[in-house]
Amino acid sequence: MHEASKRLAVPLLASIAGSVASAQAAEVVVERIATEHLTLRLERVAEGLEHPWSVIMLPDGRFLVSERPGRLALVEEDGSISHLEGLPEVSARTQGGLLDVALHPLYGDGEHDWIYFTWSKPVEGGTATALSRARLGDTGLNDVELLFEQSRPADPGRHYGSRLAWLPDGTLLMSIGERGSPSRAQDRGDHAGSVLRLTETGGVPDDNPFVDDDETLDEIFTFGNRNPQGLVVTEAGEAWATEHGPLGGDELNRLIGGENYGWPEVSLGKSYGAGQPIGEDSLPGMRDPVHVFEDRFAPSGLTEVTSSMFEAWQGNLLAGGLYREQLYRLALEGDQVTDAELVLDGQIGRIRDVYQGHDGAIYLINDDPQGSLYRLRPVD
């Protein structure tokens, strides 16, 4: 476990018993789901969320769920929902809105009680993927700070990214889609189509891979990314991302600083309409995906299983999908996927986020005008 995660976990332990006890009150959606290693139960924790996008669990067992139209929902353990005041003005056009939400890895110590969130910021010339942080007050967010916004805003309301994940050294990864313009992903003077590495205050780490390259923006960690909407840093400190292809060609990538992931020069997807191949299957100097999902998976949400509750799945990734409405378990050995198991197939609709709570359960949200927060855990 990351040292930062260990320090976060200690104050959380006291809340686990209450969280597990409250699980008995949740609505059972599917009593038994058979998988290769485990039999699971699917429960609904809360409902009535408008296009939820991301979920995190607070130390006291409550949840924060971002809703794309620009609201941050506070979900109590009994499933009741309130909405927090204090958010900035969000552009909720098409794919834009309030996006990912994450806690500082030392959240709970008082000094680092920051909530980070990404959002589509309305600016002159269109919208920009932005990063802010705030503190949680009694009824809303306090001390809201804008930490970063992408260069070169765009008018199309699509391909914002935008997931967050903390590296073991306390730096923050943030994904940004190419905003619907494929060529931007190969332009290293443009934040679009990349994964950034930032300090906790939105600055540039001194050891970023391109800080001495005048042709590349200092924040860029990887480029050639189309639209990464799944992002996780594993206990081993490895960064992994799931990324939307065009028509098929959805990818799982191991993120290595300084690497080019190829879009649109390399892709296993096809063009919309004509259905023609886009780019090459592989090219020198561009990193190939570790895994390509079958058909149109449309990945969104990615987590590593570390919970003892899912002992047989330790170290596996869980990847959610929008178009196929599926959840896959991916077993890894090094940089290879050795097993891909279908866990959910349409039971909750379009899966937007997948998250392991500090109580050990797996939480999911679905992209729907009346979306819900779900819990997945083994049957005793």
Side-chain angles (χ1 to χ4, degrees), residues 207-257:
D207 58 347
N208 262 7
F210 296 111
V211 289
D212 296 321
D213 185 342
D214 292 339
E215 296 182 358
T216 309
L217 294 175
D218 291 345
E219 295 89 353
I220 290 178
F221 185 69
T222 68
F223 64 103
N225 304 104
R226 184 173 183 266
N227 191 24
Q229 289 194 341
L231 183 63
V232 68
V233 174
T234 66
E235 280 197 333
E238 299 173 351
W240 292 82
T242 49
E243 177 173 330
H244 287 261
L247 191 63
D250 300 319
E251 300 176 353
L252 171 70
N253 287 301
R254 165 93 184 277
L255 297 181
I256 305 295

mmCIF file of all heavy atoms in Angstrom, residues 207-257:
data_model
loop_
_atom_site.group_PDB
_atom_site.id
_atom_site.type_symbol
_atom_site.label_atom_id
_atom_site.label_comp_id
_atom_site.label_asym_id
_atom_site.label_seq_id
_atom_site.Cartn_x
_atom_site.Cartn_y
_atom_site.Cartn_z
ATOM 1 N N ASP A 207 10.659 16.928 -11.925
ATOM 2 C CA ASP A 207 11.151 15.776 -12.683
ATOM 3 C C ASP A 207 10.149 15.275 -13.718
ATOM 4 O O ASP A 207 10.219 14.121 -14.142
ATOM 5 C CB ASP A 207 11.526 14.637 -11.733
ATOM 6 C CG ASP A 207 10.363 14.188 -10.844
ATOM 7 O OD1 ASP A 207 9.343 14.912 -10.783
ATOM 8 O OD2 ASP A 207 10.488 13.124 -10.211
ATOM 9 N N ASN A 208 9.215 16.125 -14.133
ATOM 10 C CA ASN A 208 8.327 15.725 -15.223
ATOM 11 C C ASN A 208 9.142 15.417 -16.480
ATOM 12 O O ASN A 208 10.200 16.019 -16.702
ATOM 13 C CB ASN A 208 7.296 16.827 -15.514
ATOM 14 C CG ASN A 208 5.964 16.545 -14.851
ATOM 15 O OD1 ASN A 208 5.815 15.618 -14.067
ATOM 16 N ND2 ASN A 208 4.965 17.353 -15.169
ATOM 17 N N PRO A 209 8.666 14.504 -17.335
ATOM 18 C CA PRO A 209 9.510 14.008 -18.434
ATOM 19 C C PRO A 209 9.878 15.044 -19.484
ATOM 20 O O PRO A 209 10.877 14.867 -20.188
ATOM 21 C CB PRO A 209 8.674 12.884 -19.048
ATOM 22 C CG PRO A 209 7.286 13.106 -18.584
ATOM 23 C CD PRO A 209 7.394 13.755 -17.250
ATOM 24 N N PHE A 210 9.108 16.152 -19.613
ATOM 25 C CA PHE A 210 9.373 17.098 -20.697
ATOM 26 C C PHE A 210 9.734 18.497 -20.194
ATOM 27 O O PHE A 210 9.646 19.465 -20.951
ATOM 28 C CB PHE A 210 8.143 17.192 -21.611
ATOM 29 C CG PHE A 210 7.811 15.906 -22.317
ATOM 30 C CD1 PHE A 210 6.670 15.187 -21.982
ATOM 31 C CD2 PHE A 210 8.632 15.405 -23.318
ATOM 32 C CE1 PHE A 210 6.352 14.003 -22.634
ATOM 33 C CE2 PHE A 210 8.320 14.220 -23.981
ATOM 34 C CZ PHE A 210 7.179 13.517 -23.635
ATOM 35 N N VAL A 211 10.157 18.629 -18.945
ATOM 36 C CA VAL A 211 10.410 19.970 -18.414
ATOM 37 C C VAL A 211 11.571 20.674 -19.117
ATOM 38 O O VAL A 211 11.641 21.907 -19.121
ATOM 39 C CB VAL A 211 10.673 19.939 -16.893
ATOM 40 C CG1 VAL A 211 9.406 19.624 -16.130
ATOM 41 C CG2 VAL A 211 11.788 18.965 -16.542
ATOM 42 N N ASP A 212 12.452 19.913 -19.735
ATOM 43 C CA ASP A 212 13.591 20.525 -20.447
ATOM 44 C C ASP A 212 13.402 20.522 -21.962
ATOM 45 O O ASP A 212 14.347 20.791 -22.708
ATOM 46 C CB ASP A 212 14.888 19.781 -20.083
ATOM 47 C CG ASP A 212 15.235 19.903 -18.613
ATOM 48 O OD1 ASP A 212 15.029 20.993 -18.058
ATOM 49 O OD2 ASP A 212 15.698 18.902 -18.035
ATOM 50 N N ASP A 213 12.182 20.243 -22.403
ATOM 51 C CA ASP A 213 11.879 20.178 -23.834
ATOM 52 C C ASP A 213 11.042 21.395 -24.205
ATOM 53 O O ASP A 213 9.884 21.513 -23.819
ATOM 54 C CB ASP A 213 11.113 18.882 -24.120
ATOM 55 C CG ASP A 213 10.848 18.666 -25.604
ATOM 56 O OD1 ASP A 213 10.935 19.637 -26.378
ATOM 57 O OD2 ASP A 213 10.522 17.521 -25.981
ATOM 58 N N ASP A 214 11.625 22.294 -24.980
ATOM 59 C CA ASP A 214 10.938 23.537 -25.339
ATOM 60 C C ASP A 214 9.720 23.304 -26.215
ATOM 61 O O ASP A 214 8.857 24.178 -26.329
ATOM 62 C CB ASP A 214 11.901 24.488 -26.064
ATOM 63 C CG ASP A 214 13.003 25.011 -25.155
ATOM 64 O OD1 ASP A 214 12.799 24.974 -23.922
ATOM 65 O OD2 ASP A 214 14.054 25.423 -25.676
ATOM 66 N N GLU A 215 9.626 22.143 -26.867
ATOM 67 C CA GLU A 215 8.505 21.868 -27.756
ATOM 68 C C GLU A 215 7.307 21.251 -27.037
ATOM 69 O O GLU A 215 6.258 21.045 -27.657
ATOM 70 C CB GLU A 215 8.952 20.928 -28.876
ATOM 71 C CG GLU A 215 10.013 21.522 -29.794
ATOM 72 C CD GLU A 215 10.397 20.570 -30.915
ATOM 73 O OE1 GLU A 215 9.842 19.440 -30.931
ATOM 74 O OE2 GLU A 215 11.221 20.948 -31.757
ATOM 75 N N THR A 216 7.445 20.957 -25.743
ATOM 76 C CA THR A 216 6.403 20.234 -25.020
ATOM 77 C C THR A 216 6.017 20.987 -23.753
ATOM 78 O O THR A 216 6.887 21.487 -23.030
ATOM 79 C CB THR A 216 6.894 18.818 -24.635
ATOM 80 O OG1 THR A 216 7.422 18.178 -25.795
ATOM 81 C CG2 THR A 216 5.760 17.983 -24.059
ATOM 82 N N LEU A 217 4.740 21.061 -23.484
ATOM 83 C CA LEU A 217 4.275 21.701 -22.259
ATOM 84 C C LEU A 217 4.758 20.919 -21.038
ATOM 85 O O LEU A 217 4.753 19.688 -21.017
ATOM 86 C CB LEU A 217 2.750 21.780 -22.253
ATOM 87 C CG LEU A 217 2.130 22.687 -23.323
ATOM 88 C CD1 LEU A 217 0.606 22.580 -23.295
ATOM 89 C CD2 LEU A 217 2.556 24.135 -23.119
ATOM 90 N N ASP A 218 5.180 21.656 -20.022
ATOM 91 C CA ASP A 218 5.835 21.047 -18.870
ATOM 92 C C ASP A 218 4.936 20.076 -18.105
ATOM 93 O O ASP A 218 5.418 19.130 -17.482
ATOM 94 C CB ASP A 218 6.311 22.135 -17.901
ATOM 95 C CG ASP A 218 7.455 22.962 -18.458
ATOM 96 O OD1 ASP A 218 8.066 22.535 -19.453
ATOM 97 O OD2 ASP A 218 7.730 24.042 -17.896
ATOM 98 N N GLU A 219 3.610 20.306 -18.142
ATOM 99 C CA GLU A 219 2.702 19.462 -17.357
ATOM 100 C C GLU A 219 2.499 18.069 -17.960
ATOM 101 O O GLU A 219 2.045 17.153 -17.273
ATOM 102 C CB GLU A 219 1.322 20.128 -17.244
ATOM 103 C CG GLU A 219 1.296 21.425 -16.473
ATOM 104 C CD GLU A 219 1.569 22.644 -17.358
ATOM 105 O OE1 GLU A 219 1.908 22.455 -18.562
ATOM 106 O OE2 GLU A 219 1.450 23.777 -16.844
ATOM 107 N N ILE A 220 2.848 17.900 -19.240
ATOM 108 C CA ILE A 220 2.525 16.650 -19.932
ATOM 109 C C ILE A 220 3.366 15.489 -19.412
ATOM 110 O O ILE A 220 4.589 15.565 -19.331
ATOM 111 C CB ILE A 220 2.698 16.821 -21.452
ATOM 112 C CG1 ILE A 220 1.596 17.744 -22.001
ATOM 113 C CG2 ILE A 220 2.658 15.471 -22.167
ATOM 114 C CD1 ILE A 220 1.699 18.020 -23.479
ATOM 115 N N PHE A 221 2.673 14.395 -19.090
ATOM 116 C CA PHE A 221 3.301 13.147 -18.641
ATOM 117 C C PHE A 221 3.310 12.128 -19.784
ATOM 118 O O PHE A 221 4.310 11.501 -20.061
ATOM 119 C CB PHE A 221 2.531 12.612 -17.434
ATOM 120 C CG PHE A 221 3.122 11.389 -16.793
ATOM 121 C CD1 PHE A 221 4.327 11.467 -16.104
ATOM 122 C CD2 PHE A 221 2.470 10.164 -16.850
ATOM 123 C CE1 PHE A 221 4.874 10.339 -15.491
ATOM 124 C CE2 PHE A 221 3.001 9.036 -16.241
ATOM 125 C CZ PHE A 221 4.211 9.125 -15.560
ATOM 126 N N THR A 222 2.166 11.961 -20.453
ATOM 127 C CA THR A 222 2.071 11.154 -21.674
ATOM 128 C C THR A 222 1.229 11.927 -22.680
ATOM 129 O O THR A 222 0.464 12.821 -22.316
ATOM 130 C CB THR A 222 1.415 9.783 -21.429
ATOM 131 O OG1 THR A 222 0.026 9.976 -21.108
ATOM 132 C CG2 THR A 222 2.103 9.027 -20.309
ATOM 133 N N PHE A 223 1.345 11.566 -23.970
ATOM 134 C CA PHE A 223 0.520 12.208 -24.996
ATOM 135 C C PHE A 223 0.103 11.151 -26.009
ATOM 136 O O PHE A 223 0.431 9.970 -25.881
ATOM 137 C CB PHE A 223 1.252 13.391 -25.648
ATOM 138 C CG PHE A 223 2.492 13.033 -26.421
ATOM 139 C CD1 PHE A 223 2.474 12.979 -27.808
ATOM 140 C CD2 PHE A 223 3.698 12.770 -25.765
ATOM 141 C CE1 PHE A 223 3.621 12.652 -28.530
ATOM 142 C CE2 PHE A 223 4.842 12.444 -26.475
ATOM 143 C CZ PHE A 223 4.809 12.394 -27.858
ATOM 144 N N GLY A 224 -0.662 11.584 -27.022
ATOM 145 C CA GLY A 224 -1.209 10.620 -27.971
ATOM 146 C C GLY A 224 -2.362 9.824 -27.382
ATOM 147 O O GLY A 224 -2.661 8.716 -27.821
ATOM 148 N N ASN A 225 -3.046 10.419 -26.398
ATOM 149 C CA ASN A 225 -4.192 9.769 -25.745
ATOM 150 C C ASN A 225 -5.488 10.363 -26.293
ATOM 151 O O ASN A 225 -5.628 11.580 -26.358
ATOM 152 C CB ASN A 225 -4.132 9.977 -24.242
ATOM 153 C CG ASN A 225 -2.833 9.486 -23.627
ATOM 154 O OD1 ASN A 225 -1.960 10.275 -23.282
ATOM 155 N ND2 ASN A 225 -2.697 8.192 -23.501
ATOM 156 N N ARG A 226 -6.446 9.517 -26.639
ATOM 157 C CA ARG A 226 -7.679 10.027 -27.259
ATOM 158 C C ARG A 226 -8.637 10.605 -26.218
ATOM 159 O O ARG A 226 -8.977 11.772 -26.267
ATOM 160 C CB ARG A 226 -8.367 8.925 -28.073
ATOM 161 C CG ARG A 226 -9.610 9.417 -28.834
ATOM 162 C CD ARG A 226 -10.152 8.338 -29.754
ATOM 163 N NE ARG A 226 -11.285 8.832 -30.523
ATOM 164 C CZ ARG A 226 -12.567 8.698 -30.174
ATOM 165 N NH1 ARG A 226 -12.872 8.059 -29.030
ATOM 166 N NH2 ARG A 226 -13.523 9.179 -30.935
ATOM 167 N N ASN A 227 -9.080 9.761 -25.286
ATOM 168 C CA ASN A 227 -10.029 10.237 -24.273
ATOM 169 C C ASN A 227 -10.027 9.270 -23.090
ATOM 170 O O ASN A 227 -10.925 8.433 -22.970
ATOM 171 C CB ASN A 227 -11.433 10.363 -24.866
ATOM 172 C CG ASN A 227 -12.395 11.096 -23.935
ATOM 173 O OD1 ASN A 227 -11.987 11.876 -23.074
ATOM 174 N ND2 ASN A 227 -13.681 10.851 -24.094
ATOM 175 N N PRO A 228 -9.035 9.352 -22.208
ATOM 176 C CA PRO A 228 -8.942 8.415 -21.082
ATOM 177 C C PRO A 228 -9.988 8.741 -20.015
ATOM 178 O O PRO A 228 -9.965 9.816 -19.421
ATOM 179 C CB PRO A 228 -7.524 8.628 -20.544
ATOM 180 C CG PRO A 228 -6.812 9.461 -21.585
ATOM 181 C CD PRO A 228 -7.875 10.259 -22.262
ATOM 182 N N GLN A 229 -10.891 7.792 -19.749
ATOM 183 C CA GLN A 229 -11.919 7.987 -18.731
ATOM 184 C C GLN A 229 -11.877 6.918 -17.649
ATOM 185 O O GLN A 229 -12.805 6.781 -16.863
ATOM 186 C CB GLN A 229 -13.304 8.038 -19.379
ATOM 187 C CG GLN A 229 -13.519 9.313 -20.181
ATOM 188 C CD GLN A 229 -14.971 9.551 -20.558
ATOM 189 O OE1 GLN A 229 -15.793 8.644 -20.542
ATOM 190 N NE2 GLN A 229 -15.289 10.777 -20.900
ATOM 191 N N GLY A 230 -10.789 6.172 -17.595
ATOM 192 C CA GLY A 230 -10.493 5.292 -16.477
ATOM 193 C C GLY A 230 -9.034 5.508 -16.114
ATOM 194 O O GLY A 230 -8.178 5.562 -17.002
ATOM 195 N N LEU A 231 -8.741 5.651 -14.813
ATOM 196 C CA LEU A 231 -7.368 5.944 -14.399
ATOM 197 C C LEU A 231 -7.179 5.439 -12.975
ATOM 198 O O LEU A 231 -7.992 5.723 -12.094
ATOM 199 C CB LEU A 231 -7.102 7.451 -14.474
ATOM 200 C CG LEU A 231 -5.695 7.949 -14.156
ATOM 201 C CD1 LEU A 231 -4.677 7.409 -15.157
ATOM 202 C CD2 LEU A 231 -5.651 9.480 -14.149
ATOM 203 N N VAL A 232 -6.107 4.680 -12.760
ATOM 204 C CA VAL A 232 -5.819 4.175 -11.418
ATOM 205 C C VAL A 232 -4.309 4.045 -11.262
ATOM 206 O O VAL A 232 -3.592 3.760 -12.230
ATOM 207 C CB VAL A 232 -6.508 2.814 -11.171
ATOM 208 C CG1 VAL A 232 -5.912 1.710 -12.025
ATOM 209 C CG2 VAL A 232 -6.460 2.420 -9.691
ATOM 210 N N VAL A 233 -3.830 4.281 -10.037
ATOM 211 C CA VAL A 233 -2.454 3.969 -9.663
ATOM 212 C C VAL A 233 -2.518 2.799 -8.701
ATOM 213 O O VAL A 233 -3.196 2.861 -7.670
ATOM 214 C CB VAL A 233 -1.747 5.180 -9.028
ATOM 215 C CG1 VAL A 233 -0.367 4.781 -8.528
ATOM 216 C CG2 VAL A 233 -1.635 6.323 -10.026
ATOM 217 N N THR A 234 -1.840 1.714 -9.031
ATOM 218 C CA THR A 234 -1.918 0.493 -8.242
ATOM 219 C C THR A 234 -1.051 0.588 -6.991
ATOM 220 O O THR A 234 -0.242 1.509 -6.824
ATOM 221 C CB THR A 234 -1.464 -0.713 -9.072
ATOM 222 O OG1 THR A 234 -0.055 -0.576 -9.362
ATOM 223 C CG2 THR A 234 -2.244 -0.811 -10.366
ATOM 224 N N GLU A 235 -1.195 -0.414 -6.118
ATOM 225 C CA GLU A 235 -0.366 -0.467 -4.919
ATOM 226 C C GLU A 235 1.116 -0.542 -5.261
ATOM 227 O O GLU A 235 1.959 -0.096 -4.488
ATOM 228 C CB GLU A 235 -0.759 -1.664 -4.052
ATOM 229 C CG GLU A 235 -2.000 -1.427 -3.205
ATOM 230 C CD GLU A 235 -2.121 -2.436 -2.089
ATOM 231 O OE1 GLU A 235 -1.599 -3.561 -2.239
ATOM 232 O OE2 GLU A 235 -2.728 -2.108 -1.058
ATOM 233 N N ALA A 236 1.434 -1.094 -6.424
ATOM 234 C CA ALA A 236 2.822 -1.173 -6.870
ATOM 235 C C ALA A 236 3.326 0.157 -7.429
ATOM 236 O O ALA A 236 4.496 0.262 -7.813
ATOM 237 C CB ALA A 236 2.972 -2.269 -7.925
ATOM 238 N N GLY A 237 2.452 1.165 -7.486
ATOM 239 C CA GLY A 237 2.838 2.474 -7.986
ATOM 240 C C GLY A 237 2.747 2.623 -9.485
ATOM 241 O O GLY A 237 3.229 3.616 -10.045
ATOM 242 N N GLU A 238 2.108 1.659 -10.167
ATOM 243 C CA GLU A 238 1.975 1.723 -11.623
ATOM 244 C C GLU A 238 0.687 2.441 -12.003
ATOM 245 O O GLU A 238 -0.359 2.221 -11.388
ATOM 246 C CB GLU A 238 1.950 0.308 -12.206
ATOM 247 C CG GLU A 238 3.208 -0.486 -11.940
ATOM 248 C CD GLU A 238 3.081 -1.926 -12.381
ATOM 249 O OE1 GLU A 238 1.945 -2.339 -12.730
ATOM 250 O OE2 GLU A 238 4.100 -2.643 -12.370
ATOM 251 N N ALA A 239 0.769 3.275 -13.025
ATOM 252 C CA ALA A 239 -0.401 4.003 -13.521
ATOM 253 C C ALA A 239 -0.984 3.266 -14.718
ATOM 254 O O ALA A 239 -0.262 2.897 -15.656
ATOM 255 C CB ALA A 239 -0.019 5.422 -13.921
ATOM 256 N N TRP A 240 -2.306 3.049 -14.665
ATOM 257 C CA TRP A 240 -3.026 2.380 -15.738
ATOM 258 C C TRP A 240 -4.221 3.239 -16.138
ATOM 259 O O TRP A 240 -4.827 3.899 -15.293
ATOM 260 C CB TRP A 240 -3.534 1.012 -15.278
ATOM 261 C CG TRP A 240 -2.451 0.009 -15.020
ATOM 262 C CD1 TRP A 240 -1.702 -0.115 -13.884
ATOM 263 C CD2 TRP A 240 -1.995 -1.002 -15.921
ATOM 264 N NE1 TRP A 240 -0.813 -1.144 -14.010
ATOM 265 C CE2 TRP A 240 -0.968 -1.709 -15.253
ATOM 266 C CE3 TRP A 240 -2.366 -1.391 -17.206
ATOM 267 C CZ2 TRP A 240 -0.303 -2.783 -15.845
ATOM 268 C CZ3 TRP A 240 -1.704 -2.449 -17.799
ATOM 269 C CH2 TRP A 240 -0.681 -3.137 -17.121
ATOM 270 N N ALA A 241 -4.548 3.209 -17.432
ATOM 271 C CA ALA A 241 -5.673 3.993 -17.934
ATOM 272 C C ALA A 241 -6.456 3.195 -18.959
ATOM 273 O O ALA A 241 -5.882 2.428 -19.744
ATOM 274 C CB ALA A 241 -5.187 5.301 -18.566
ATOM 275 N N THR A 242 -7.776 3.366 -18.942
ATOM 276 C CA THR A 242 -8.621 2.876 -20.030
ATOM 277 C C THR A 242 -9.035 4.080 -20.867
ATOM 278 O O THR A 242 -9.338 5.145 -20.334
ATOM 279 C CB THR A 242 -9.858 2.130 -19.512
ATOM 280 O OG1 THR A 242 -10.516 2.902 -18.500
ATOM 281 C CG2 THR A 242 -9.470 0.784 -18.955
ATOM 282 N N GLU A 243 -9.038 3.868 -22.161
ATOM 283 C CA GLU A 243 -9.167 4.985 -23.099
ATOM 284 C C GLU A 243 -10.135 4.634 -24.218
ATOM 285 O O GLU A 243 -10.084 3.530 -24.776
ATOM 286 C CB GLU A 243 -7.779 5.294 -23.661
ATOM 287 C CG GLU A 243 -7.723 6.377 -24.700
ATOM 288 C CD GLU A 243 -6.284 6.704 -25.060
ATOM 289 O OE1 GLU A 243 -5.387 6.572 -24.204
ATOM 290 O OE2 GLU A 243 -6.064 7.094 -26.225
ATOM 291 N N HIS A 244 -11.008 5.570 -24.538
ATOM 292 C CA HIS A 244 -11.956 5.384 -25.628
ATOM 293 C C HIS A 244 -11.237 5.392 -26.968
ATOM 294 O O HIS A 244 -10.499 6.328 -27.293
ATOM 295 C CB HIS A 244 -12.977 6.526 -25.648
ATOM 296 C CG HIS A 244 -13.986 6.453 -24.545
ATOM 297 N ND1 HIS A 244 -15.254 5.943 -24.722
ATOM 298 C CD2 HIS A 244 -13.916 6.826 -23.244
ATOM 299 C CE1 HIS A 244 -15.925 6.016 -23.581
ATOM 300 N NE2 HIS A 244 -15.124 6.546 -22.671
ATOM 301 N N GLY A 245 -11.483 4.357 -27.772
ATOM 302 C CA GLY A 245 -11.141 4.416 -29.177
ATOM 303 C C GLY A 245 -12.279 5.101 -29.920
ATOM 304 O O GLY A 245 -13.234 5.594 -29.312
ATOM 305 N N PRO A 246 -12.217 5.139 -31.259
ATOM 306 C CA PRO A 246 -13.347 5.717 -32.007
ATOM 307 C C PRO A 246 -14.475 4.688 -32.096
ATOM 308 O O PRO A 246 -15.211 4.497 -31.126
ATOM 309 C CB PRO A 246 -12.721 6.063 -33.357
ATOM 310 C CG PRO A 246 -11.537 5.166 -33.485
ATOM 311 C CD PRO A 246 -11.092 4.791 -32.100
ATOM 312 N N LEU A 247 -14.566 3.964 -33.201
ATOM 313 C CA LEU A 247 -15.553 2.900 -33.371
ATOM 314 C C LEU A 247 -14.826 1.590 -33.091
ATOM 315 O O LEU A 247 -14.231 0.983 -33.965
ATOM 316 C CB LEU A 247 -16.120 2.927 -34.789
ATOM 317 C CG LEU A 247 -17.346 2.048 -35.078
ATOM 318 C CD1 LEU A 247 -18.531 2.491 -34.238
ATOM 319 C CD2 LEU A 247 -17.686 2.116 -36.565
ATOM 320 N N GLY A 248 -14.849 1.140 -31.816
ATOM 321 C CA GLY A 248 -14.005 0.040 -31.383
ATOM 322 C C GLY A 248 -12.608 0.544 -31.056
ATOM 323 O O GLY A 248 -12.329 1.744 -31.046
ATOM 324 N N GLY A 249 -11.702 -0.392 -30.762
ATOM 325 C CA GLY A 249 -10.332 -0.014 -30.452
ATOM 326 C C GLY A 249 -10.162 0.597 -29.078
ATOM 327 O O GLY A 249 -9.182 1.319 -28.843
ATOM 328 N N ASP A 250 -11.077 0.319 -28.131
ATOM 329 C CA ASP A 250 -10.935 0.830 -26.765
ATOM 330 C C ASP A 250 -9.772 0.125 -26.080
ATOM 331 O O ASP A 250 -9.613 -1.097 -26.182
ATOM 332 C CB ASP A 250 -12.222 0.601 -25.975
ATOM 333 C CG ASP A 250 -13.416 1.302 -26.603
ATOM 334 O OD1 ASP A 250 -13.256 2.448 -27.046
ATOM 335 O OD2 ASP A 250 -14.506 0.693 -26.642
ATOM 336 N N GLU A 251 -8.970 0.888 -25.324
ATOM 337 C CA GLU A 251 -7.672 0.390 -24.876
ATOM 338 C C GLU A 251 -7.526 0.389 -23.358
ATOM 339 O O GLU A 251 -8.086 1.234 -22.653
ATOM 340 C CB GLU A 251 -6.552 1.282 -25.443
ATOM 341 C CG GLU A 251 -6.490 1.352 -26.953
ATOM 342 C CD GLU A 251 -5.428 2.315 -27.453
ATOM 343 O OE1 GLU A 251 -4.821 3.028 -26.610
ATOM 344 O OE2 GLU A 251 -5.208 2.358 -28.669
ATOM 345 N N LEU A 252 -6.686 -0.541 -22.880
ATOM 346 C CA LEU A 252 -6.071 -0.471 -21.555
ATOM 347 C C LEU A 252 -4.595 -0.193 -21.771
ATOM 348 O O LEU A 252 -3.918 -0.929 -22.504
ATOM 349 C CB LEU A 252 -6.250 -1.790 -20.792
ATOM 350 C CG LEU A 252 -5.464 -1.903 -19.477
ATOM 351 C CD1 LEU A 252 -6.028 -0.981 -18.411
ATOM 352 C CD2 LEU A 252 -5.439 -3.348 -18.971
ATOM 353 N N ASN A 253 -4.094 0.873 -21.135
ATOM 354 C CA ASN A 253 -2.703 1.270 -21.298
ATOM 355 C C ASN A 253 -1.993 1.343 -19.953
ATOM 356 O O ASN A 253 -2.563 1.817 -18.962
ATOM 357 C CB ASN A 253 -2.600 2.650 -21.969
ATOM 358 C CG ASN A 253 -2.940 2.604 -23.445
ATOM 359 O OD1 ASN A 253 -2.301 1.881 -24.208
ATOM 360 N ND2 ASN A 253 -3.948 3.358 -23.858
ATOM 361 N N ARG A 254 -0.759 0.881 -19.922
ATOM 362 C CA ARG A 254 0.139 1.141 -18.802
ATOM 363 C C ARG A 254 0.823 2.474 -19.116
ATOM 364 O O ARG A 254 1.465 2.627 -20.155
ATOM 365 C CB ARG A 254 1.174 0.018 -18.688
ATOM 366 C CG ARG A 254 2.361 0.355 -17.804
ATOM 367 C CD ARG A 254 2.199 -0.081 -16.379
ATOM 368 N NE ARG A 254 3.338 0.358 -15.572
ATOM 369 C CZ ARG A 254 4.503 -0.282 -15.474
ATOM 370 N NH1 ARG A 254 4.668 -1.425 -16.136
ATOM 371 N NH2 ARG A 254 5.478 0.185 -14.718
ATOM 372 N N LEU A 255 0.648 3.452 -18.232
ATOM 373 C CA LEU A 255 1.156 4.798 -18.493
ATOM 374 C C LEU A 255 2.606 4.927 -18.016
ATOM 375 O O LEU A 255 2.904 4.740 -16.835
ATOM 376 C CB LEU A 255 0.289 5.839 -17.787
ATOM 377 C CG LEU A 255 -1.172 5.916 -18.231
ATOM 378 C CD1 LEU A 255 -1.894 7.015 -17.466
ATOM 379 C CD2 LEU A 255 -1.286 6.146 -19.741
ATOM 380 N N ILE A 256 3.480 5.254 -18.955
ATOM 381 C CA ILE A 256 4.899 5.459 -18.681
ATOM 382 C C ILE A 256 5.233 6.897 -19.058
ATOM 383 O O ILE A 256 4.947 7.336 -20.182
ATOM 384 C CB ILE A 256 5.781 4.497 -19.499
ATOM 385 C CG1 ILE A 256 5.362 3.039 -19.254
ATOM 386 C CG2 ILE A 256 7.244 4.719 -19.161
ATOM 387 C CD1 ILE A 256 5.577 2.550 -17.856
ATOM 388 N N GLY A 257 5.817 7.645 -18.151
ATOM 389 C CA GLY A 257 6.129 9.044 -18.413
ATOM 390 C C GLY A 257 6.988 9.230 -19.645
ATOM 391 O O GLY A 257 7.974 8.508 -19.857
#
